[in-house]
Amino acid sequence: MAARNRDRIVHFYEIADADAPDGARLPHRDWGEHIRRLCAQPLAQRTVPAGEDILIGAVDPHQTAPHLLLAKSRQDVPQLIDHVDGTLSRLQLAADKELVDVTTVYFLPFGNVVATMAGGISAPRAQALKRWLDGMRVAAPDVRNIVLRPVVNARSREKLQHAVAIEKLTVKIAPEPADSPSTLRASSDLGTALSRMHTDNPDMVITLTLEVPKKSGILSTRRRARGHNQLLGSTRVFASDIEDWLDNSDAVDTAAAQARMEAWHSEADDEKIDFVSERITAKCVVPFSSGDGHAIDLQVALNKLEGVSLENERVLRAAVSADI
């Protein structure tokens, strides 16, 4: 069977200290060099348990690009197909061998920014990378609570922070592939409600719209202002759930808010906050093997990650306040 191509999404994250004051950033660290030294150590020294999963870091010594291969042990029992007679059989591995799902991480030379490409649906996501980095204390031993912040357009990042009201919030959750992660962790009331509906109705599209009525006569000016403030507070809390869902699931189809922004010497401006499109991502085409549909050649992955990082360098630097 001939090899085919597939679109892959490259996600960009800033490695940061979750306990640092608002706006404070880590001084840039040479993550690639530290991780290369770490991954030269025995397997046990680069392994982190994460619930039922085991996360293992590795580096290909033949690749000069600063990178990490983050592997997660697979919980399923893969099957093989014989293309001659069409029979299926269980994959037999030696006792000291194990199948893993792998995500390739490329470290950019500025702003503690990383680019990631998953090798398949079940490959480690941002939360897994955070747990591994936290467990290793690599490059930032002084940081006790690493966080991976999605790199967001510099202007867009400030919208929610400086909004004075939210008039409308719309979130659409879509069904995921059967073998895709489907648990939506939530810390907000809105997130918890949507997560429960998604779990109870995994084959449905769920759309939530919260809007303060604009038509005069329905609400008094006081009640409308109260509604705007309540929706602003709820959206700010819910935003962290949306970020986590975008990182760790494929369920979020739409997440947008209509915000009223404070303007100098004029009436307030209305602007749209699009939590999906305002994250800086890139799409690239990579080959995958026809056997399992998940394998990506490491050299291809690194070339693609480096290429899209260069193409987006200016906007990435602006987003993390790194000098050009």
Side-chain angles (χ1 to χ4, degrees):
M1 187 179 295
R4 295 168 291 165
N5 295 329
R6 181 173 180 174
D7 288 341
R8 296 284 178 174
I9 301 296
V10 176
H11 295 274
F12 297 98
Y13 300 97
E14 178 188 3
I15 303 174
D17 182 355
D19 299 325
D22 290 343
R25 285 193 159 95
L26 282 176
H28 180 68
R29 314 291 174 92
D30 189 348
W31 294 90
E33 180 59 29
H34 284 282
I35 286 176
R36 183 174 290 274
R37 289 200 298 267
L38 172 67
C39 289
Q41 302 301 315
L43 183 68
Q45 296 186 27
R46 43 191 171 90
T47 298
V48 172
E52 296 181 355
D53 298 322
I54 300 295
L55 302 173
I56 304 167
V59 165
D60 185 334
H62 301 294
Q63 304 296 332
T64 58
H67 70 280
L68 166 70
L69 301 176
L70 185 62
K72 181 180 72 173
S73 59
R74 294 184 64 168
Q75 304 298 319
D76 58 348
V77 180
Q79 300 289 311
L80 294 177
I81 185 169
D82 187 323
H83 285 288
V84 175
D85 60 16
T87 59
L88 296 173
S89 61
R90 185 176 183 273
L91 178 62
Q92 298 291 330
L93 297 175
D96 58 348
K97 305 292 184 183
E98 184 178 9
L99 286 177
V100 294
D101 291 303
V102 178
T103 291
T104 305
V105 183
Y106 172 75
F107 296 89
L108 279 65
F110 59 85
N112 299 307
V113 176
V114 298
T116 68
M117 181 189 293
I121 291 175
S122 299
R125 304 220 181 192
Q127 191 67 18
L129 177 57
K130 168 206 158 26
R131 289 175 179 172
W132 189 84
L133 292 172
D134 257 341
M136 292 295 98
R137 296 282 186 264
V138 58
D142 53 316
V143 179
R144 297 299 174 186
N145 188 11
I146 280 178
V147 63
L148 294 182
R149 293 174 180 161
V151 182
V152 180
N153 183 282
R155 172 66 183 92
S156 302
R157 186 179 59 240
E158 301 175 356
K159 285 183 180 180
L160 187 57
Q161 180 181 354
H162 295 292
V164 295
I166 295 293
E167 298 177 343
K168 183 178 181 179
L169 172 67
T170 300
V171 181
K172 181 186 289 186
I173 304 297
E176 297 179 273
D179 57 349
S180 177
S182 59
T183 301
L184 303 180
R185 294 184 299 267
S187 57
S188 67
D189 291 340
L190 287 179
T192 300
L194 269 174
S195 177
R196 185 181 301 114
M197 284 190 287
H198 177 63
T199 300
D200 293 342
N201 306 279
D203 302 318
M204 298 183 187
V205 174
I206 301 168
T207 303
L208 171 70
T209 299
L210 299 176
E211 182 175 12
V212 179
K214 293 182 179 180
K215 187 176 180 180
S216 59
I218 296 180
L219 293 180
S220 65
T221 302
R222 178 182 177 185
R223 290 185 63 191
R224 186 175 291 111
R226 185 175 66 188
H228 285 152
N229 288 334
Q230 288 176 332
L231 193 49
L232 174 62
S234 297
T235 302
R236 283 176 170 166
V237 177
F238 185 38
S240 62
D241 287 340
I242 295 174
E243 287 188 357
D244 183 75
W245 295 355
L246 289 170
D247 289 338
N248 296 291
S249 80
D250 300 306
V252 181
D253 181 79
T254 301
Q258 192 67 31
R260 184 176 301 166
M261 313 299 296
E262 186 175 7
W264 291 100
H265 308 298
S266 65
E267 294 184 359
D269 296 325
D270 285 346
E271 291 196 29
K272 182 179 181 180
I273 302 175
D274 192 324
F275 296 99
V276 178
S277 67
E278 291 175 355
R279 291 161 59 107
I280 302 174
T281 60
K283 182 178 290 187
C284 57
V285 178
V286 298
F288 64 66
S289 74
S290 58
D292 62 10
H294 289 173
I296 295 178
D297 179 77
L298 174 59
Q299 183 61 56
V300 171
L302 285 175
N303 287 342
K304 293 290 186 180
L305 288 172
E306 186 173 18
V308 297
S309 297
L310 287 173
E311 291 171 6
N312 292 275
E313 181 173 356
R314 182 172 294 274
V315 67
L316 288 168
R317 284 184 177 273
V320 299
S321 303
D323 294 335
I324 299 177

